[in-house]
């Protein structure tokens, strides 16, 4: 009877060890920037879109340099004066990453930047990119609608590889895209407002007398307006046709300022921040804080549970042996 018990526990331990190995296999860890070859032989990016069907555009913002920091790629390397966040990609929190994604989405629409590739989700609502070059990617989704709602996927920034909770580089990145705007289709026309926010306390005299803003309808210029002190740096568009994607973009960022662009409901907020001389220094910190956007950490929980069970099994075997 004792031999039977011991044999059973040994079989359980072997089974648990096998399960742990099977779970660990997919969690490949790789080193970023280990060579100057940006083409990865063993990388992948999988995106699961919560609504199923969708079309997404991919823009490569930056690659990884040999020492593990970002190196901006064309044409995004030409926007460092306009978008200050591009100067210190290595040191931003998740909120800053989302703000940067929204700002870059506006820029690619305003300047008609072509995507690297445009892909549709498969029958499972997923996009799988095998052997994707290492780098930082902006991913934007097309607006869709049904009989009742308009759905607008939030833009996201994704790095391949990405760092896990332990700081290890994970070459096989999985993203749950579950941030999608949902707006009920109105029966009549819609209204949108644009608001200019200045962050230049003490340097107000540096502001231009006016700025020019384009209203885009599905990516095309619909109307152009001027914002200034007289209209309190804001404008409202009324009687716009429903069922379209509307965005407000600043034509040109004022000299000496940087720009961020966000949307709060039907209000577009364009913020210009004054760059104090000598305050912008490119960040060379190699302890990269990458955006943790929807990565799947369920294997960690499963492995933790199996580890506890394996420990208990070993403890019981030891007790039986001592007895």
């Amino acid at each position: 009877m004792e031999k039977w018990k011991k044999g059973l526990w040994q079989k359980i331990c072997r089974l648990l060890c096998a399960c742990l190995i099977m779970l660990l296999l997919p969690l490949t860890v790789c080193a970023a920037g280990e060579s100057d070859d940006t083409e990865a032989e063993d990388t992948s990016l999988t995106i699961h879109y919560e609504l199923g069907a969708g079309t997404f555009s991919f823009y490569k913002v930056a690659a990884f340099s040999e020492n593990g920091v970002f190196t901006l790629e064309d044409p995004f390397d030409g926007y460092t004066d306009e978008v200050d966040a591009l100067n210190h990609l290595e040191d931003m929190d998740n909120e800053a990453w989302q703000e940067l994604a929204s700002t870059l989405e506006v820029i690619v629409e305003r300047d008609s930047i072509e995507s690297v590739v445009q892909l549709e989700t498969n029958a499972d609502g997923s996009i799988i990119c095998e052997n994707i070059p290492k780098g930082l990617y902006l991913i934007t989704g097309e607006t869709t609608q049904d009989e009742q709602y308009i759905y607008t996927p939030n833009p996201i920034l994704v790095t391949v590889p990405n760092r896990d909770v332990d700081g290890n580089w994970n070459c096989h990145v999985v993203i749950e895209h579950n941030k999608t705007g949902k707006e009920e289709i109105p029966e009549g026309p819609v209204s949108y407002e644009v608001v200019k926010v200045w962050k230049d306390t003490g340097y107000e005299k540096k502001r231009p007398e006016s700025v020019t803003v384009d209203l885009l309808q599905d990516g095309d210029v619909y109307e152009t307006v001027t914002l200034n002190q007289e209209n309190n740096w804001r404008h409202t568009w009324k009687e716009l046709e429903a069922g379209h994607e509307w965005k407000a973009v600043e034509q040109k960022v004022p000299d000496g300022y940087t720009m961020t662009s966000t949307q709060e409901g039907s209000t577009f907020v364009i913020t210009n921040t004054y760059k104090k001389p000598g305050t912008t220094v490119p960040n060379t910190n190699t302890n990269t804080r990458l955006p943790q956007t929807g990565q799947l950490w369920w294997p960690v929980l499963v492995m933790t549970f199996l580890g506890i069970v394996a420990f208990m099994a070993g403890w019981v075997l030891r007790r039986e042996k001592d007895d």
Side-chain angles (χ1 to χ4, degrees), residues 9 11-17 19-20 301-318:
W9 279 113
K11 289 179 181 178
I12 292 175
C13 288
R14 291 194 192 103
L15 179 60
L16 290 172
C17 289
C19 290
L20 285 170
L301 298 177
V302 175
M303 286 188 292
T304 301
F305 171 74
L306 291 177
I308 293 173
V309 174
F311 171 79
M312 293 298 296
W315 181 77
V316 171
L317 280 176
R318 257 189 248 105

Side-chain angles (χ1 to χ4, degrees), residues 38-304:
T38 58
E39 296 296 329
E41 295 180 356
D42 187 23
T43 59
S44 66
L45 171 61
T46 301
I47 298 176
H48 299 303
Y49 182 42
E50 63 176 347
L51 297 184
T55 302
F56 291 85
S57 298
F58 292 68
Y59 304 84
K60 191 175 183 184
V61 178
F64 284 111
S65 62
E66 292 184 4
N67 59 352
V69 299
F70 292 113
T71 302
L72 292 172
E73 295 202 347
D74 181 60
F76 296 97
D77 57 355
Y79 290 95
T80 53
D81 288 338
E82 185 172 340
V83 183
D84 186 57
L86 292 175
N87 293 306
H88 45 83
L89 293 172
E90 289 82 16
D91 190 24
M92 298 197 302
D93 57 24
N94 284 343
E95 183 178 350
W97 279 109
Q98 186 56 57
E99 185 178 79
L100 177 58
S102 299
T103 301
L104 292 180
E105 181 187 39
V106 167
I107 287 177
V108 299
E109 289 200 34
R110 181 194 68 187
D111 296 347
S112 301
I113 297 175
E114 291 188 10
S115 60
V116 174
V117 66
Q118 190 175 70
L119 300 172
E120 294 184 1
T121 56
N122 58 25
D124 297 325
S126 301
I127 293 176
I128 303 174
C129 303
E130 298 286 353
N131 300 326
I132 184 171
K134 297 175 183 178
L136 172 66
Y137 292 87
L138 170 69
I139 303 174
T140 65
E142 289 187 359
T143 297
T144 59
Q145 66 181 66
D146 54 25
E147 295 180 355
Q148 189 175 2
Y149 296 100
I150 299 174
Y151 304 95
T152 305
N154 285 6
I156 58 175
L157 282 166
V158 179
T159 58
V160 180
N162 207 327
R163 277 185 171 175
D164 61 22
V165 291
D166 297 320
N168 298 315
W169 291 101
N170 180 18
C171 291
H172 302 284
V173 182
V174 181
I175 300 296
E176 292 289 341
H177 194 305
N178 51 14
K179 296 180 180 179
T180 302
K182 180 180 178 181
E183 181 182 357
E184 190 170 5
I185 298 176
E187 296 181 358
V190 295
S191 297
Y192 284 93
E193 181 183 29
V194 61
V195 176
K196 164 64 67 178
V197 175
W198 296 99
K199 290 187 177 181
D200 55 1
T201 302
Y203 296 89
E204 291 86 352
K205 292 182 179 180
K206 300 290 185 180
R207 296 181 189 176
E209 294 183 359
S210 64
V211 296
T212 305
V213 174
D214 288 332
L215 178 67
L216 304 183
Q217 180 192 53
D218 302 325
D220 298 322
V221 177
Y222 177 84
E223 185 175 285
T224 301
V225 298
T226 299
L227 305 184
N228 51 38
Q229 188 65 47
E230 293 182 5
N231 56 27
N232 201 25
W233 302 100
R234 62 178 62 214
H235 178 80
T236 300
W237 290 278
K238 300 179 180 179
E239 300 296 318
L240 297 175
E241 185 178 351
H244 296 277
E245 181 183 45
W246 297 96
K247 286 189 179 297
V249 300
E250 188 173 37
Q251 280 189 359
K252 182 181 182 300
V253 178
D255 292 338
Y257 286 82
T258 60
M259 180 266 292
T260 60
S261 181
T262 58
Q263 183 175 350
E264 301 172 4
S266 60
T267 301
F268 303 102
V269 180
I270 301 175
T271 303
N272 286 147
T273 303
Y274 181 69
K275 296 185 295 183
K276 298 178 182 179
T279 57
T280 300
V281 179
N283 191 304
T284 57
N285 176 22
T286 57
N287 186 22
T288 313
R289 297 171 59 186
L290 302 180
Q292 304 298 326
T293 312
Q295 284 186 267
L296 299 179
W297 298 112
W298 63 265
V300 176
L301 298 177
V302 175
M303 286 188 292
T304 301

